[in-house]
Amino acid sequence: AQSVTQLGSHVSVSEGALVLLRCNYSSSVPPYLFWYVQYPNQGLQLLLKYTSAATLVKGINGFEAEFKKSETSFHLTKPSAHMSDAAEYFCAVNTLYSSASKIIFGSGTRLSIRP
Amino acid sequence: DVKVTQSSRYLVKRTGEKVFLECVQDMDHENMFWYRQDPGLGLRLIYFSYDVKMKEKGDIPEGYSVSREKKERFSLILESASTNQTSMYLCASSRDTGNTEAFFGQGTRLTVV
C-alpha cells in the first residue's frame, strides 16, 4: 500500500534560515505526491505537487520540493524562512483504489519561526 | 474560484445524538472525501466516494456512515455521537485522475459533550 512518512512532528527555525521538512514515501508504482499547508483555523491549501514532469517542483510562497526516487523522498525546502511561514505542513500521496484515487496524508509537521 | 463548503464551522452535540456534517462542492468533481484531523495524527481518511451513491471505507470508518445522493454533496453521519469523536472534520473533493490535488473545505470542529 502507498503511504507517506513525515520525519519530525515539530521543526523550529530562525527567520531567514533554511527550512527543510522531510517526507518519505512508500509506493510500488511512480507516485503522485503533494505538499499542503494549513494555517491556524483554516483548511488545507496546496503548496505544490509532483506529477513526474520534473523532479524539482516549485510551489507557492517560495517553497520547492525535489523528488528523489533512489531515496524515496520528497522533502520540502525554502531558502529563507519568513514569520508568515509558521503553519502545519502535510505531505500526501495519491493512491489508486479500484478505479478511483484517494489521497493519504502524513502525520504533519508544525513549523515554528523564531524572530 | 473553486469551492468546497462545509455547512458548519463549529458544532456542539450531546453524546448519543445523531449528527450530520454536510459538504458541497461546485467543481463537478467525481471524488469526495471525509477526513478527521487530530493533533499528532495528521489527517485520517474516514470514507470516500468516487461517484453518486458509491462509497468506500477509509482507514477509520467505525462509528461513521456517509451518503452521496447527488454529485455535489457528500454527507458524513455519526449515528450515535461519542466523546471520542470530538475532532476537526475536513471535507475534500478531487477529479478522478491521479495527478490532481484535493480541494478542502474550511473544516468543522465538532465537540461531543
Side-chain angles (χ1 to χ4, degrees), chain A residues 32 34 36 38 41-46 49 51 88 90 94 97-108, chain B residues 9 31 33 35 37 40-43 45 48 50 56 59 90 95-102 104-106:
Chain A
Y32 295 117
F34 308 87
Y36 286 82
Q38 184 181 35
N41 298 315
Q42 294 188 26
L44 274 70
Q45 177 184 359
L46 182 72
K49 64 181 179 182
T51 59
E88 187 146 24
F90 294 93
N94 197 324
Y97 178 93
S98 229
S99 60
S101 59
K102 62 177 182 176
I103 301 177
I104 301 298
F105 288 81
S107 56
Chain B
R9 288 296 304 272
N31 298 336
F33 309 85
Y35 295 89
Q37 182 179 14
L41 298 177
L43 276 71
L45 183 62
F48 68 107
Y50 54 89
E56 294 289 347
D59 299 318
L90 291 165
R95 292 218 173 277
D96 193 25
T97 58
N99 63 351
T100 57
E101 67 271 28
F104 281 83
Q106 291 296 296

Side-chain angles (χ1 to χ4, degrees), chain A residues 7-24:
Chain A
L7 300 176
S9 59
H10 185 213
V11 171
S12 180
V13 303
S14 298
E15 192 173 18
L18 171 72
V19 175
L20 171 60
L21 304 182
R22 299 178 187 273
C23 174
N24 287 89

Side-chain angles (χ1 to χ4, degrees), chain A residues 66-86:
Chain A
E66 186 173 8
F67 174 75
K68 291 187 176 181
K69 185 177 179 180
S70 60
E71 299 177 7
T72 61
S73 68
F74 190 56
H75 301 331
L76 182 71
T77 60
K78 182 174 181 178
S80 177
H82 191 272
M83 295 300 290
S84 61
D85 295 327

Side-chain angles (χ1 to χ4, degrees), chain B residues 10 14 26 48-49 109:
Chain B
Y10 301 94
R14 295 191 180 278
D26 65 359
F48 68 107
S49 168
R109 185 165 295 280

Side-chain angles (χ1 to χ4, degrees), chain B residues 3-111:
Chain B
K3 207 155 192 174
V4 179
T5 304
Q6 295 184 229
S7 54
S8 304
R9 288 296 304 272
Y10 301 94
L11 274 179
V12 180
K13 297 292 182 180
R14 295 191 180 278
T15 301
E17 273 194 80
K18 189 169 186 176
V19 181
F20 293 86
L21 303 184
E22 306 287 346
C23 176
V24 177
Q25 51 99 358
D26 65 359
M27 297 164 282
D28 201 36
H29 284 169
E30 295 82 10
N31 298 336
M32 296 189 74
F33 309 85
W34 275 106
Y35 295 89
R36 67 175 278 176
Q37 182 179 14
D38 300 288
L41 298 177
L43 276 71
R44 293 180 292 168
L45 183 62
I46 304 172
Y47 268 96
F48 68 107
S49 168
Y50 54 89
D51 201 352
V52 175
K53 296 189 185 296
M54 305 304 290
K55 59 186 179 184
E56 294 289 347
K57 294 180 180 179
D59 299 318
I60 52 164
E62 296 79 18
Y64 304 94
S65 62
V66 291
S67 172
R68 194 166 180 199
E69 296 296 319
K70 294 184 178 180
K71 190 175 185 180
E72 67 271 19
R73 186 180 297 271
F74 192 36
S75 303
L76 180 69
I77 304 158
L78 287 66
E79 295 289 343
S80 178
S82 64
T83 54
N84 63 13
Q85 293 178 309
T86 291
S87 186
M88 170 69 85
Y89 291 87
L90 291 165
C91 176
S93 71
S94 73
R95 292 218 173 277
D96 193 25
T97 58
N99 63 351
T100 57
E101 67 271 28
F103 294 85
F104 281 83
Q106 291 296 296
T108 297
R109 185 165 295 280
L110 173 67
T111 302

Side-chain angles (χ1 to χ4, degrees), chain A residues 25-48:
Chain A
Y25 69 90
S26 169
S27 176
S28 58
V29 297
Y32 295 117
L33 294 162
F34 308 87
W35 275 100
Y36 286 82
V37 60
Q38 184 181 35
Y39 298 104
N41 298 315
Q42 294 188 26
L44 274 70
Q45 177 184 359
L46 182 72
L47 267 180
L48 50 83

